[in-house]
């Protein structure tokens, strides 16, 4: 099975930049999006053979997630069942016969870490949620997780230390998650890969210089790692300030 995750930073904008062609070219079994910035009814996408699931933020033009899947899920859950976390359209969980698939757009801690307290609560509640799922069947957790975990995961770690996305607090929460029975598939398969990024600022020609961050992930339950064939990043695909990330699993 092939999975794709992409923060499109506004689906209506990326639709004007060839999104439907990219979707078809990538040919995923499950394709998920973050930061769709949509309300219900604002776009109509027709991808034959795919079921569509959308989670919209209450605030217009903000956040939002979507999942397109060839396999019909047994169940779909929007949010994590905690009201303070479930108004921004950040989480969709699909249950299949042999795994849970969780698409996530993690809240940004914002400039000067203005939202760090909320971010820490989100991380704790989300980790508990994933661990509950994992008790029943393995989990594939993906999306824009808004953190570069280690120094190897961004171009300029020293100058960004303490900034949103590379604060000790956020990195620590990722360490906690990965110590709770989960694996970062890309880093597990490519432990020494440098200059492998999924997001670049629009400023200072960052993408042209490949001065980026790896903040988009496929994280899986440890017992799924034996099925992971590929974990890759697609910087050649444009249209957003993020690029798609991919995971390929062998059939059980």
């Amino acid at each position: 099975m092939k999975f794709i995750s992409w923060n499109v930073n506004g689906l209506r904008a990326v639709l004007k930049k060839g999104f439907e062609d990219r979707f078809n070219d990538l040919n995923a079994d499950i394709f998920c999006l973050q930061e769709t910035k949509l309300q219900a009814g604002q776009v109509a996408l027709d991808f034959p053979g795919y079921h569509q699931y959308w989670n919209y933020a209450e605030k217009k033009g903000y956040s939002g997630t979507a999942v397109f899947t060839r396999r019909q899920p047994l169940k779909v859950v929007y949010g994590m069942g905690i009201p303070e976390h479930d108004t921004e359209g950040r989480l969709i969980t699909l249950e299949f016969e042999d795994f849970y698939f969780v698409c996530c757009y993690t809240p940004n801690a914002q400039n000067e870490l203005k939202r760090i307290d909320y971010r820490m609560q989100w991380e704790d509640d989300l980790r508990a949620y994933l661990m509950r799922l994992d008790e029943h069947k393995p989990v594939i957790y993906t999306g824009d997780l808004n953190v570069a975990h280690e120094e190897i995961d961004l171009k300029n770690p020293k100058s960004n230390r303490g900034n949103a996305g590379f604060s000790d607090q956020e990195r620590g929460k990722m360490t906690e998650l990965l110590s709770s029975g989960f694996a970062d598939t890309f880093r597990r398969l490519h432990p020494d890969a440098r200059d492998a990024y999924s997001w670049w600022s629009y400023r200072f020609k960052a993408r042209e210089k490949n001065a980026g961050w790896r903040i988009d992930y496929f994280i899986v339950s440890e017992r799924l790692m034996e099925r992971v064939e590929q974990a890759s990043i697609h910087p050649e695909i444009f249209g957003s300030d993020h690029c798609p990330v991919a995971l390929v699993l062998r059939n059980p």
Side-chain angles (χ1 to χ4, degrees):
M1 284 188 77
K2 182 178 182 182
F3 305 83
I4 293 286
S5 175
W6 192 8
N7 178 322
V8 290
N9 192 11
L11 182 56
R12 284 170 292 180
V14 83
L15 279 167
K16 300 172 184 175
K17 302 174 185 175
F19 172 77
E20 289 164 294
D21 290 337
R22 301 291 85 73
F23 184 97
N24 291 322
D25 291 346
L26 286 164
N27 192 31
D29 296 291
I30 300 179
F31 197 123
C32 74
L33 308 177
Q34 301 87 42
E35 211 171 355
T36 53
K37 297 183 177 179
L38 289 173
Q39 305 306 120
Q42 287 190 301
V43 299
L45 291 176
D46 180 24
F47 291 123
Y50 286 88
H51 306 274
Q52 302 184 20
Y53 303 96
W54 299 79
N55 196 1
Y56 306 102
E58 291 179 3
K59 181 180 176 181
K60 291 184 178 179
Y62 179 73
S63 190
T65 46
V67 180
F68 305 83
T69 173
R70 286 179 170 140
R71 287 175 66 179
Q72 186 166 6
L74 303 174
K75 183 179 179 182
V76 180
V77 175
Y78 300 94
M80 63 176 96
I82 299 174
E84 69 175 302
H85 297 320
D86 291 349
T87 63
E88 296 183 348
R90 294 184 177 275
L91 204 67
I92 305 176
T93 302
L94 279 61
E95 180 181 358
F96 295 97
E97 292 81 0
D98 53 337
F99 61 86
Y100 290 101
F101 180 85
V102 181
C103 169
C104 180
Y105 177 39
T106 299
N108 193 300
Q110 300 184 350
N111 289 339
E112 299 179 354
L113 303 182
K114 282 187 295 188
R115 212 181 185 194
I116 192 69
D117 291 343
Y118 174 70
R119 169 69 179 266
M120 295 296 97
Q121 189 63 54
W122 167 279
E123 293 285 356
D124 288 342
D125 292 339
L126 191 278
R127 186 175 65 258
Y129 174 74
L130 294 175
M131 291 175 71
R132 287 195 300 273
L133 295 180
D134 188 54
E135 290 174 2
H136 300 284
K137 58 183 78 171
V139 175
I140 299 170
Y141 168 50
T142 185
D144 174 3
L145 305 188
N146 258 319
V147 61
H149 185 215
E150 303 289 357
E151 290 193 355
I152 195 175
D153 294 317
L154 73 167
K155 188 70 170 184
N156 298 304
K158 288 183 172 57
S159 60
N160 281 293
R161 176 84 184 270
N163 289 342
F166 199 59
S167 68
D168 292 349
Q169 299 97 308
E170 293 161 298
R171 296 170 66 196
K173 292 299 182 187
M174 176 61 84
T175 297
E176 283 186 60
L177 176 64
L178 297 177
S179 301
S180 302
F182 297 93
D184 172 355
T185 57
F186 180 84
R187 193 52 72 198
R188 191 66 68 85
L189 266 58
H190 310 283
D192 303 314
R194 296 186 173 275
D195 303 319
Y197 307 127
S198 63
W199 174 79
W200 303 261
S201 170
Y202 280 131
R203 299 186 299 166
F204 311 122
K205 298 184 178 179
R207 190 155 186 175
E208 187 179 314
K209 298 173 182 175
N210 196 29
W213 300 47
R214 188 175 72 93
I215 60 175
D216 301 85
Y217 294 79
F218 273 98
I219 289 173
V220 302
S221 299
E222 278 285 359
R223 60 193 185 280
L224 271 185
M225 272 307 302
E226 63 185 16
R227 289 177 54 192
V228 174
E229 279 190 350
Q230 296 176 31
S232 57
I233 302 173
H234 288 275
E236 76 281 2
I237 296 178
F238 288 78
S240 168
D241 52 349
H242 294 249
C243 73
V245 295
L247 177 73
V248 178
L249 285 189
R250 296 184 194 91
N251 292 325

